[in-house]
Short mmCIF file of all heavy atoms in Angstrom, two decimals:
data_model
loop_
_atom_site.label_atom_id
_atom_site.label_comp_id
_atom_site.label_asym_id
_atom_site.label_seq_id
_atom_site.Cartn_x
_atom_site.Cartn_y
_atom_site.Cartn_z
N GLU A 150 117.48 102.41 84.94
CA GLU A 150 118.46 101.35 85.05
C GLU A 150 117.70 99.99 85.21
O GLU A 150 117.30 99.66 86.37
CB GLU A 150 119.36 101.59 86.20
CG GLU A 150 120.39 100.54 86.39
CD GLU A 150 121.26 100.78 87.67
OE1 GLU A 150 120.79 101.57 88.52
OE2 GLU A 150 122.27 100.16 87.82
N PRO A 151 117.44 99.27 84.20
CA PRO A 151 116.55 98.07 84.29
C PRO A 151 117.12 96.93 85.17
O PRO A 151 116.34 96.10 85.65
CB PRO A 151 116.42 97.58 82.88
CG PRO A 151 117.56 98.23 82.08
CD PRO A 151 117.85 99.52 82.81
N GLU A 152 118.44 97.01 85.42
CA GLU A 152 119.02 96.00 86.33
C GLU A 152 118.80 96.24 87.81
O GLU A 152 119.09 95.40 88.62
CB GLU A 152 120.56 95.92 86.11
CG GLU A 152 120.97 95.45 84.67
CD GLU A 152 120.91 96.63 83.71
OE1 GLU A 152 120.94 97.78 84.16
OE2 GLU A 152 120.83 96.38 82.52
N THR A 153 118.19 97.41 88.16
CA THR A 153 117.81 97.62 89.51
C THR A 153 116.31 97.57 89.65
O THR A 153 115.62 98.45 89.09
CB THR A 153 118.30 99.04 90.00
OG1 THR A 153 119.76 99.00 90.08
CG2 THR A 153 117.80 99.40 91.37
N GLY A 154 115.81 96.53 90.30
CA GLY A 154 114.39 96.42 90.48
C GLY A 154 113.89 97.07 91.75
O GLY A 154 114.71 97.60 92.58
N ASP A 155 112.57 97.17 91.91
CA ASP A 155 112.06 97.82 93.15
C ASP A 155 111.89 96.82 94.29
O ASP A 155 111.38 97.21 95.36
CB ASP A 155 110.76 98.53 92.81
CG ASP A 155 109.63 97.60 92.50
OD1 ASP A 155 109.84 96.46 92.22
OD2 ASP A 155 108.45 98.09 92.57
N GLY A 156 112.31 95.59 94.10
CA GLY A 156 112.25 94.64 95.19
C GLY A 156 111.63 93.31 94.80
O GLY A 156 110.62 93.32 94.12
N ALA A 157 112.25 92.26 95.28
CA ALA A 157 111.65 90.91 95.04
C ALA A 157 112.13 90.02 96.25
O ALA A 157 113.19 90.24 96.87
CB ALA A 157 112.14 90.29 93.81
N GLY A 158 111.29 89.05 96.61
CA GLY A 158 111.69 88.23 97.72
C GLY A 158 110.91 86.90 97.72
O GLY A 158 109.98 86.64 96.89
N ILE A 159 111.27 86.05 98.61
CA ILE A 159 110.56 84.74 98.82
C ILE A 159 110.48 84.43 100.29
O ILE A 159 111.50 84.65 101.01
CB ILE A 159 111.31 83.64 97.99
CG1 ILE A 159 110.53 82.32 98.06
CG2 ILE A 159 112.74 83.42 98.48
CD1 ILE A 159 111.11 81.23 97.09
N LEU A 160 109.42 83.90 100.70
CA LEU A 160 109.21 83.41 102.07
C LEU A 160 109.17 81.90 102.04
O LEU A 160 108.42 81.29 101.24
CB LEU A 160 107.89 83.93 102.63
CG LEU A 160 107.57 83.54 104.08
CD1 LEU A 160 106.79 84.68 104.79
CD2 LEU A 160 106.73 82.23 104.16
N VAL A 161 110.02 81.24 102.83
CA VAL A 161 110.07 79.77 102.86
C VAL A 161 109.92 79.27 104.30
O VAL A 161 110.17 80.00 105.22
CB VAL A 161 111.41 79.27 102.25
CG1 VAL A 161 111.55 79.66 100.78
CG2 VAL A 161 112.62 79.74 103.05
N GLN A 162 109.55 78.02 104.37
CA GLN A 162 109.62 77.37 105.71
C GLN A 162 111.07 77.28 106.16
O GLN A 162 111.96 77.22 105.34
CB GLN A 162 109.06 75.97 105.53
CG GLN A 162 108.90 75.14 106.77
CD GLN A 162 108.24 73.79 106.50
OE1 GLN A 162 108.19 73.38 105.35
NE2 GLN A 162 107.82 73.11 107.53
N VAL A 163 111.34 77.45 107.46
CA VAL A 163 112.68 77.39 107.96
C VAL A 163 113.33 76.13 107.46
O VAL A 163 112.85 74.98 107.75
CB VAL A 163 112.73 77.48 109.54
CG1 VAL A 163 114.09 77.13 110.04
CG2 VAL A 163 112.33 78.90 110.01
N PRO A 164 114.42 76.24 106.71
CA PRO A 164 115.10 75.01 106.17
C PRO A 164 116.00 74.35 107.18
O PRO A 164 117.24 74.46 107.21
CB PRO A 164 115.89 75.60 104.97
CG PRO A 164 116.25 76.96 105.42
CD PRO A 164 115.09 77.47 106.27
N ASP A 165 115.40 73.61 108.06
CA ASP A 165 116.09 73.00 109.24
C ASP A 165 117.29 72.23 108.87
O ASP A 165 118.43 72.41 109.39
CB ASP A 165 115.09 72.16 110.03
CG ASP A 165 115.70 71.60 111.31
OD1 ASP A 165 116.00 72.40 112.22
OD2 ASP A 165 115.94 70.36 111.39
N ALA A 166 117.18 71.23 107.92
CA ALA A 166 118.28 70.38 107.54
C ALA A 166 119.43 71.19 106.94
O ALA A 166 120.65 70.96 107.28
CB ALA A 166 117.80 69.35 106.55
N PHE A 167 119.13 72.17 106.12
CA PHE A 167 120.12 73.04 105.47
C PHE A 167 120.87 73.80 106.56
O PHE A 167 122.14 73.90 106.49
CB PHE A 167 119.51 73.97 104.48
CG PHE A 167 120.43 75.02 103.95
CD1 PHE A 167 121.40 74.68 103.01
CD2 PHE A 167 120.36 76.35 104.45
CE1 PHE A 167 122.27 75.69 102.54
CE2 PHE A 167 121.25 77.30 103.97
CZ PHE A 167 122.18 76.96 102.98
N LEU A 168 120.16 74.39 107.54
CA LEU A 168 120.76 75.18 108.55
C LEU A 168 121.74 74.36 109.40
O LEU A 168 122.82 74.77 109.81
CB LEU A 168 119.77 75.86 109.40
CG LEU A 168 118.93 76.98 108.68
CD1 LEU A 168 117.80 77.42 109.57
CD2 LEU A 168 119.79 78.09 108.19
N ARG A 169 121.30 73.09 109.68
CA ARG A 169 122.17 72.21 110.49
C ARG A 169 123.47 71.93 109.70
O ARG A 169 124.51 71.69 110.39
CB ARG A 169 121.43 70.95 110.79
CG ARG A 169 120.32 71.14 111.78
CD ARG A 169 119.55 69.84 112.12
NE ARG A 169 118.31 70.19 112.88
CZ ARG A 169 118.29 70.52 114.17
NH1 ARG A 169 119.40 70.47 114.88
NH2 ARG A 169 117.20 70.80 114.76
N ALA A 170 123.45 71.92 108.43
CA ALA A 170 124.61 71.61 107.66
C ALA A 170 125.56 72.78 107.53
O ALA A 170 126.83 72.63 107.37
CB ALA A 170 124.21 71.18 106.20
N VAL A 171 125.07 74.03 107.60
CA VAL A 171 125.95 75.22 107.26
C VAL A 171 126.27 76.04 108.47
O VAL A 171 127.19 76.87 108.42
CB VAL A 171 125.27 76.13 106.18
CG1 VAL A 171 125.10 75.33 104.88
CG2 VAL A 171 123.96 76.72 106.63
N LEU A 172 125.52 75.96 109.57
CA LEU A 172 125.71 76.88 110.70
C LEU A 172 126.89 76.55 111.54
O LEU A 172 127.51 77.48 112.17
CB LEU A 172 124.47 77.05 111.52
CG LEU A 172 123.30 77.86 110.98
CD1 LEU A 172 122.10 77.69 111.86
CD2 LEU A 172 123.75 79.30 110.91
N GLY A 173 127.26 75.28 111.66
CA GLY A 173 128.43 74.88 112.52
C GLY A 173 128.16 75.03 113.94
O GLY A 173 129.11 75.09 114.75
N VAL A 174 126.88 75.01 114.37
CA VAL A 174 126.53 75.01 115.78
C VAL A 174 125.45 73.91 116.00
O VAL A 174 124.78 73.51 115.08
CB VAL A 174 125.98 76.40 116.29
CG1 VAL A 174 127.05 77.46 116.19
CG2 VAL A 174 124.77 76.75 115.45
N ASP A 175 125.37 73.51 117.24
CA ASP A 175 124.29 72.48 117.54
C ASP A 175 122.96 73.24 117.76
O ASP A 175 122.80 74.06 118.68
CB ASP A 175 124.68 71.78 118.87
CG ASP A 175 125.82 70.79 118.64
OD1 ASP A 175 126.00 70.28 117.54
OD2 ASP A 175 126.60 70.59 119.62
N LEU A 176 122.01 72.93 116.86
CA LEU A 176 120.72 73.58 116.97
C LEU A 176 119.79 72.71 117.80
O LEU A 176 119.87 71.47 117.73
CB LEU A 176 120.09 73.73 115.60
CG LEU A 176 120.69 74.80 114.67
CD1 LEU A 176 120.06 74.64 113.29
CD2 LEU A 176 120.42 76.18 115.24
N PRO A 177 118.85 73.33 118.60
CA PRO A 177 117.82 72.55 119.22
C PRO A 177 116.85 71.99 118.16
O PRO A 177 117.04 72.34 116.97
CB PRO A 177 117.16 73.59 120.14
CG PRO A 177 117.47 74.87 119.56
CD PRO A 177 118.80 74.79 118.89
N GLU A 178 115.87 71.25 118.54
CA GLU A 178 114.97 70.70 117.62
C GLU A 178 114.19 71.83 116.87
O GLU A 178 114.07 72.94 117.40
CB GLU A 178 113.99 69.74 118.29
CG GLU A 178 113.08 70.37 119.30
CD GLU A 178 112.19 69.30 119.96
OE1 GLU A 178 111.26 68.78 119.20
OE2 GLU A 178 112.38 69.01 121.15
N ARG A 179 113.67 71.51 115.74
CA ARG A 179 112.91 72.48 114.93
C ARG A 179 111.80 73.09 115.78
O ARG A 179 111.11 72.41 116.52
CB ARG A 179 112.22 71.71 113.75
CG ARG A 179 111.41 72.58 112.86
CD ARG A 179 110.54 71.77 111.93
NE ARG A 179 111.34 71.03 110.93
CZ ARG A 179 111.65 71.53 109.71
NH1 ARG A 179 111.25 72.70 109.42
NH2 ARG A 179 112.32 70.82 108.88
N GLY A 180 111.64 74.39 115.63
CA GLY A 180 110.64 75.13 116.39
C GLY A 180 111.09 75.67 117.72
O GLY A 180 110.46 76.53 118.33
N HIS A 181 112.34 75.23 118.10
CA HIS A 181 112.92 75.72 119.37
C HIS A 181 114.08 76.71 119.13
O HIS A 181 114.87 76.94 120.01
CB HIS A 181 113.32 74.55 120.24
CG HIS A 181 112.18 73.81 120.81
ND1 HIS A 181 111.65 74.12 122.04
CD2 HIS A 181 111.44 72.80 120.26
CE1 HIS A 181 110.60 73.29 122.27
NE2 HIS A 181 110.47 72.49 121.25
N TYR A 182 114.14 77.22 117.96
CA TYR A 182 115.12 78.33 117.60
C TYR A 182 114.45 79.18 116.58
O TYR A 182 113.54 78.77 115.84
CB TYR A 182 116.45 77.77 117.12
CG TYR A 182 116.40 77.04 115.75
CD1 TYR A 182 116.53 77.72 114.56
CD2 TYR A 182 116.17 75.64 115.71
CE1 TYR A 182 116.47 77.08 113.38
CE2 TYR A 182 116.09 75.01 114.50
CZ TYR A 182 116.26 75.72 113.32
OH TYR A 182 116.20 75.04 112.12
N ALA A 183 114.83 80.50 116.61
CA ALA A 183 114.34 81.44 115.63
C ALA A 183 115.50 81.89 114.76
O ALA A 183 116.65 81.94 115.17
CB ALA A 183 113.72 82.65 116.31
N ILE A 184 115.20 82.19 113.49
CA ILE A 184 116.24 82.66 112.57
C ILE A 184 115.71 83.78 111.69
O ILE A 184 114.46 83.75 111.36
CB ILE A 184 116.84 81.51 111.75
CG1 ILE A 184 118.01 82.08 110.85
CG2 ILE A 184 115.78 80.85 110.91
CD1 ILE A 184 118.81 80.94 110.17
#
Side-chain angles (χ1 to χ4, degrees):
E150 182 186 14
E152 296 81 20
T153 293
D155 68 344
I159 185 171
L160 179 149
V161 298
Q162 185 177 13
V163 167
D165 183 69
F167 172 77
L168 293 173
R169 292 180 190 281
V171 300
L172 281 172
V174 296
D175 289 329
L176 287 173
E178 63 180 292
R179 179 194 291 273
H181 289 268
Y182 64 90
I184 183 168

